[in-house]
Amino acid sequence: DNIRMNINANGYRLPTEAEWEYAAMGGASTSSATYTGSNTIGSVAWYTVNSGSKTHPVGGKQANELGLYDMSGNVWEWCWDWEGNYSSGSQTDPTGGSPSSFRVYRGGGWYSYFWFCRSADRDFNYPSNRGDDMGFRLVRRP
């Protein structure tokens, strides 16, 4: 399926879960914001209460500290990592679990309740899972 692409396909790839979380936290590993860029969900996320049951164009809510929009709410975002438990030890740029049947996705979607839109929330599903609440963000390394 198309989520199982080469990690360096034309220089673009899905972010690792660690990269996604770093971006969602505004680049600060000590950010105290519950959602990406704010503790007030309505200012940064389209979710079940304010979405009108649909996806919205990117940029309709407040950006986080890195200028990134819609990392909380709007659509769930696929990550490169496979589902697995976090290691208990300290790590730098971890790459997630061993290949399995499920890929991780983050951020919550337009139909999600507030707790699924937290920067720390994670979920997983088959890479072939499709829906109007699923999306992705690409990373490009020079």
Side-chain angles (χ1 to χ4, degrees):
D1 58 53
N2 61 356
I3 296 293
R4 293 178 191 260
M5 67 178 134
N6 179 333
I7 194 165
N8 292 311
N10 296 319
Y12 295 93
R13 61 175 172 78
L14 293 172
T16 65
E17 195 173 2
E19 289 169 329
W20 189 96
E21 191 165 322
Y22 180 85
M25 299 284 232
S29 61
T30 59
S31 175
S32 62
T34 302
Y35 309 102
T36 56
S38 179
N39 284 318
T40 306
I41 189 171
S43 66
V44 293
W46 297 108
Y47 70 117
T48 191
V49 170
N50 66 359
S51 70
S53 299
K54 64 181 181 178
T55 304
H56 291 265
V58 172
K61 295 288 183 179
Q62 172 184 316
N64 74 0
E65 297 84 351
L66 293 176
L68 299 172
Y69 294 91
D70 297 318
M71 292 195 75
S72 286
N74 212 16
V75 296
W76 288 95
E77 297 183 7
W78 287 107
C79 293
W80 182 255
D81 297 345
W82 297 101
E83 182 272 329
N85 293 327
Y86 287 139
S87 169
S88 60
S90 178
Q91 296 184 42
T92 300
D93 205 17
T95 58
S98 299
S100 67
S101 297
F102 303 108
R103 273 210 197 271
V104 173
Y105 53 89
R106 304 283 299 260
W110 56 261
Y111 74 93
S112 298
Y113 292 104
F114 66 91
W115 58 83
F116 291 118
C117 297
R118 295 175 301 118
S119 299
D121 188 65
R122 64 196 298 251
D123 209 340
F124 53 90
N125 209 324
Y126 293 105
S128 59
N129 184 44
R130 307 271 191 283
D132 59 0
D133 60 337
M134 300 298 297
F136 59 92
R137 187 175 300 261
L138 295 176
V139 172
R140 182 166 190 248
R141 297 268 183 171

